[in-house]
Amino acid sequence: MKRSTSKASFDLFAAPAIEITVQHFRDFGKGYGLLLDVGCGDAYTTSKLRSPTVRITGIDANETAIRVARTRLPSGDFLVAEAESLPFPDRTFDHVLAFSVLQYTMRSRVLSECARVLKSDGTAAFVENLASSPLARIYRVIHRAMRWSYPPYQHPISHLKWEDLSLYREFFDHVRYTPIHLFTPVLLAVPVIKGRLFGTKLQSPRPEYYRVLSKFDEHCLRWLPSLGRWCWMMVILAACPSKSN
């Protein structure tokens, strides 16, 4: 089946974050057990975490999305629930994932809940959009000026600020951060902005262009790590909930 342009673009840009997350679950958590996807939506991202050794549970506030998730991933357990109040006992899951979700929630409350339901030696991964990304800031300004609307259940409350990163250490004993997508967002943001402004058809970025810019990103971030604050996305890898939570 041919993928839609939006799905193809998502796959291209989400792949590094998913790869980093899966490797984290394998290295630190040995890659088996129960995995909770917080804000799973229709389970498109969740389905990429399938493994014979992992049993997946997903929650989302959108009932329609959950119905699609149950069809897309019949082997998983999906239910309608709020991220700020997870309907699970303490220390239930080996892994917790929240992929581009915390920006729509009360961040501190959701982190507290994720830490609560995670086992004492469990691992967590949070993938979020950084507030300081120049292209993202331009898009948000245009979005407000043009009075464009957000899809249901996707009204950002607070994008991740660089200073917010310290918050994760309040809930987990082991935390590290990996910024990704410094220049590559040009390939996605510019066509999206043109499409919204002029009604042109969205074109998926050409993979060869993406690979070149992605390599350039890697070199820039390796030599100048301080550029990380200007990246589009941040992957926060955590493990072992703090005993105080």
Side-chain angles (χ1 to χ4, degrees):
M1 182 181 295
K2 187 177 181 179
R3 293 176 300 169
S4 68
T5 299
S6 60
K7 292 296 188 185
S9 298
F10 176 86
D11 287 348
L12 200 60
F13 285 89
I18 293 173
E19 182 180 348
I20 292 170
T21 295
V22 170
Q23 194 62 48
H24 174 58
F25 288 164
R26 287 175 179 167
D27 290 349
F28 207 113
K30 300 183 175 57
Y32 59 82
L34 302 177
L35 185 152
L36 173 65
D37 189 352
V38 178
C40 64
D42 62 6
Y44 184 77
T45 303
T46 320
S47 64
K48 299 180 182 302
L49 304 173
R50 279 182 292 190
S51 165
T53 61
V54 174
R55 180 177 174 181
I56 293 174
T57 296
I59 69 99
D60 199 279
N62 187 337
E63 186 174 354
T64 301
I66 286 296
R67 286 200 293 267
V68 176
R70 289 168 178 161
T71 301
R72 172 171 278 131
L73 199 59
S75 61
D77 298 315
F78 296 96
L79 62 154
V80 178
E82 298 286 345
E84 290 90 347
S85 182
L86 298 175
F88 307 106
D90 296 357
R91 308 294 182 248
T92 298
F93 296 96
D94 299 282
H95 312 291
V96 171
L97 168 67
F99 196 106
S100 193
V101 170
L102 299 189
Q103 63 197 28
Y104 307 113
T105 68
M106 302 302 293
R107 191 181 309 277
S108 180
R109 179 59 185 164
V110 176
L111 287 175
S112 175
E113 280 292 273
C114 289
R116 180 185 64 80
V117 302
L118 193 63
K119 292 180 180 178
S120 59
D121 60 348
T123 62
F126 306 93
V127 182
E128 286 304 320
N129 296 339
L130 279 168
S132 52
S133 166
L135 277 172
R137 293 174 73 173
I138 291 170
Y139 178 76
R140 290 165 198 149
V141 169
I142 295 174
H143 196 286
R144 288 193 296 269
M146 300 299 294
R147 297 184 179 180
W148 293 334
S149 61
Y150 286 102
Y153 298 97
Q154 292 185 359
H155 296 271
I157 296 175
S158 176
H159 294 97
L160 182 67
K161 298 180 178 63
W162 195 260
E163 56 268 26
D164 292 336
L165 290 171
S166 60
L167 179 65
Y168 294 82
R169 297 191 184 279
E170 296 181 16
F171 298 97
F172 301 94
D173 288 339
H174 303 284
V175 180
R176 59 189 176 96
Y177 317 116
T178 304
I180 58 175
H181 296 315
L182 182 59
F183 294 106
T184 51
V186 172
L187 299 175
L188 182 63
V190 172
V192 168
I193 292 173
K194 285 177 60 179
R196 295 297 296 263
L197 289 175
F198 306 112
T200 57
K201 184 178 180 181
L202 178 64
Q203 298 291 326
S204 179
R206 295 181 65 172
E208 58 268 31
Y209 293 166
Y210 172 82
R211 284 193 291 270
V212 170
L213 274 184
S214 182
K215 285 294 182 183
F216 186 57
D217 280 1
E218 290 177 16
H219 288 301
C220 289
L221 292 170
R222 184 180 301 117
W223 292 105
L224 286 173
S226 59
L227 291 176
R229 67 173 57 247
W230 308 117
C231 284
W232 176 34
M233 301 184 82
M234 178 68 80
V235 184
I236 301 102
L237 304 176
C240 304
S242 300
K243 293 181 174 59
S244 59
N245 291 290

